């Protein structure tokens, strides 16, 4: 199976051998009958360790990302936490993006730091700065491309060269792009992670995470850790994510179509001082994004020109509350369009740090509604 949509619909999802069901069943069971002591059927004994619905999703994710091993988690953050705890030890150091997702920063800065893990935020699009930030104790470069929320672009292949020349791992959070738009393993990354809550699920009705790697030893260690701590989704969550993946290709095309039009409209608006979208030719990462991505995705951020008052965030907050189609909500990647104020919502944890986001920044998850309606809504909100 070489085509993306073919893999999305069929990988790990053969008709059920017992009933012929063309959709993988939801195996709503906590335990499995054994054929004698230790004699499992197909490797299933207890649902925390493995569940056939979860296995189907793991195989599908591995196929979409072009990797050998896929693991499915209860959330994107449990994916991140399990990987970091397996791959790092007290005293180790990692690099993170200068505008990393607020949840990732919070985990590294507030939770893992207590455990003795050190980190340095760096602009990963600057390879010289990235090399300069490496230490003898550095064990990992954690990358996002595009980043959340400033849509920064890292050259994944070049970052892989930097990482491997230092004998460390490169991890890429591919949530914003999805495997339809970008496959980091093919560009040299060692591990790719996702919040499957977002574009993979695609309908704002399920929380989950996934990880894909070609490293057999790491995959074994991760599976052991996942089973030990229980960072697993329920079978219905896995089933919902599989259902969403089936339409990922057509949805990402529409997300990208709409986002390109929204970004262009915002770039022309007098009350918008800056637009962050890698599809715009003036974006600093445009050429790299065009090289390593199929399209530029459905995420757009922009800065609202301040109204001259004492609060630089006031006008951006007003715009977030003035839309009619764009729903004021956190998360992203669903079929409906969302709007949020990162400084007060998803990235509030970065306040006062090197990762603090602009107070007048607005982030959009551009859905698959009619683009004309979305643009009209934003224009009326801006005034």
């Amino acid at each position: 199976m070489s085509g993306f949509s073919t893999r999305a619909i069929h990988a790990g999802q053969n008709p059920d051998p017992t009933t012929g069901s063309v959709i993988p069943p939801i195996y709503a069971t906590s335990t499995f009958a054994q054929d004698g002591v230790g004699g499992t059927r197909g490797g299933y004994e207890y649902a925390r360790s493995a569940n056939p619905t979860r296995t189907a999703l793991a195989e599908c994710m591995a196929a979409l990302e072009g990797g050998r091993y896929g693991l499915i988690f209860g959330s994107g953050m449990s994916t991140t936490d399990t990987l970091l705890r397996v791959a790092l030890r007290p005293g180790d150091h990692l690099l993170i993006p200068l505008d990393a997702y607020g949840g990732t920063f919070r985990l590294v800065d507030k939770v893992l730091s207590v455990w003795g893990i050190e980190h340095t935020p760096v602009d990963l699009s600057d390879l010289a700065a990235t090399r300069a930030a490496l230490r003898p104790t550095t064990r990992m470069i954690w990358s996002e491309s595009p980043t959340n929320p400033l849509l920064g672009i890292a050259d994944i292949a070049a970052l892989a060269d930097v990482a491997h020349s230092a004998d460390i791992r490169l991890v890429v959070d591919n949530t914003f792009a999805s495997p339809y738009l970008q496959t980091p393993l093919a560009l040299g990354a060692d591990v790719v992670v996702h919040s499957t809550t977002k574009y993979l699920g695609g309908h704002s009705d399920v929380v989950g995470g996934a990880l894909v790697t070609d490293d057999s030893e790491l995959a074994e260690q991760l599976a052991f850790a996942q089973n030990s701590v229980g960072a697993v989704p329920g079978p219905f969550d896995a089933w919902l994510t599989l259902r969403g993946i089936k339409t990922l290709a057509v949805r990402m095309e529409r997300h990208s179509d709409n986002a390109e039009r929204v970004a262009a409209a915002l770039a022309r608006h007098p009350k918008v001082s800056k637009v962050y979208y890698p599809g715009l030719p003036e974006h600093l990462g445009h050429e790299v994004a065009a090289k390593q991505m199929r399209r530029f995705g459905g995420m757009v951020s922009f800065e609202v020109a301040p109204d001259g008052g004492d609060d630089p965030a006031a006008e951006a907050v007003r715009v977030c509350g003035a839309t009619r189609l764009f729903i004021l909500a956190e998360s992203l990647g669903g079929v409906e369009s969302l709007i949020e104020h990162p400084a007060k919502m998803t990235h509030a944890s970065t306040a006062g740090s090197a990762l603090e986001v602009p107070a007048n920044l607005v982030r959009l998850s551009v859905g698959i509604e009619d683009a004309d309606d979305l643009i009209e809504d934003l224009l009326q909100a801006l005034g």
Side-chain angles (χ1 to χ4, degrees):
M1 292 185 288
S2 59
F4 184 90
S5 289
T6 303
R7 283 176 284 145
I9 293 169
H10 293 286
Q13 302 168 76
N14 292 328
D16 179 66
T18 302
T19 66
S21 170
V22 298
I23 298 298
I26 302 170
Y27 285 88
T29 182
S30 62
T31 192
F32 300 84
Q34 300 186 24
D35 297 324
V37 175
T40 65
R41 300 181 189 181
Y44 298 103
E45 57 184 15
Y46 186 60
R48 185 186 70 243
S49 303
N51 176 286
T53 315
R54 193 165 89 231
T55 299
L57 177 56
E59 292 179 2
C60 185
M61 281 300 307
L64 295 183
E65 284 288 359
R68 295 167 61 196
Y69 308 100
L71 287 88
I72 307 303
F73 293 79
S75 69
M77 289 312 305
S78 67
T79 310
T80 300
D81 181 61
T82 304
L83 174 58
L84 293 179
R85 289 182 187 272
V86 167
L88 303 175
R89 292 292 180 269
D92 286 350
H93 171 257
L94 78 156
L95 303 184
I96 65 173
L98 197 57
D99 63 324
Y101 165 55
T104 302
F105 172 73
R106 181 177 55 224
L107 174 66
V108 171
D109 188 62
K110 302 297 191 296
V111 179
L112 296 184
S113 62
V114 178
W115 196 47
I117 300 297
E118 299 180 334
H119 69 280
T120 300
V122 64
D123 179 0
L124 296 179
S125 68
D126 185 336
L127 296 179
T130 302
R131 291 190 187 93
L134 295 173
R135 303 177 186 174
T137 56
T138 306
R139 297 291 177 265
M140 178 185 292
I141 298 175
W142 182 281
S143 173
E144 299 172 15
S145 188
T147 58
N148 180 4
L150 297 180
L151 284 300
I153 299 295
D155 187 325
I156 296 172
L159 271 185
D161 289 341
V162 171
H164 298 157
S165 66
D167 197 27
I168 63 176
R169 289 189 174 103
L170 172 64
V171 178
V172 177
D173 183 337
N174 202 28
T175 298
F176 266 28
S178 87
Y180 177 71
L181 297 182
Q182 179 175 271
T183 48
L185 294 182
L187 297 170
D190 299 288
V191 186
V192 58
V193 299
H194 285 275
S195 169
T196 58
T197 310
K198 313 306 192 296
Y199 286 109
L200 287 156
H203 294 77
S204 302
D205 55 9
V206 63
V207 173
L211 175 156
V212 179
T213 184
D214 282 330
D215 187 327
S216 58
E217 182 179 1
L218 178 62
E220 184 177 352
Q221 293 170 346
L222 287 164
F224 178 84
Q226 180 184 37
N227 183 47
S228 298
V229 303
V232 299
F236 185 53
D237 294 339
W239 185 88
L240 280 173
T241 305
L242 269 174
R243 185 190 65 171
I245 285 174
K246 291 178 183 291
T247 59
L248 180 62
V250 291
R251 286 188 287 107
M252 292 309 298
E253 287 289 345
R254 182 61 175 263
H255 283 299
S256 298
D257 286 345
N258 284 358
E260 288 174 7
R261 291 192 56 192
V262 165
L266 290 171
R268 296 190 296 267
H269 199 282
K271 289 190 176 180
V272 174
S273 55
K274 186 171 185 177
V275 178
Y276 300 86
Y277 185 66
L280 294 174
E282 59 267 28
H283 187 283
L284 292 178
H286 175 73
E287 291 186 7
V288 173
K291 177 181 67 174
Q292 66 189 21
M293 298 177 71
R294 188 195 300 253
R295 298 283 302 274
F296 299 107
M299 299 302 297
V300 179
S301 292
F302 64 98
E303 293 184 25
V304 181
D307 60 3
D310 294 333
D311 183 1
E315 186 63 8
V317 170
R318 185 199 65 76
V319 170
C320 287
T323 56
R324 297 164 184 162
L325 284 178
F326 280 85
I327 301 168
L328 179 62
E330 297 188 358
S331 197
L332 57 101
V335 293
E336 66 289 311
S337 293
L338 304 180
I339 189 169
E340 67 119 357
H341 185 261
K344 295 181 181 293
M345 295 172 67
T346 54
H347 291 70
S349 62
T350 67
S353 75
L355 284 76
E356 184 171 7
V357 299
N360 62 332
L361 186 73
V362 173
R363 191 191 74 181
L364 304 176
S365 174
V366 181
I368 64 172
E369 303 96 335
D370 290 304
D372 288 341
D373 293 332
L374 295 177
I375 292 170
E376 180 181 355
D377 188 34
L378 289 171
L379 294 182
Q380 67 81 24
L382 284 162

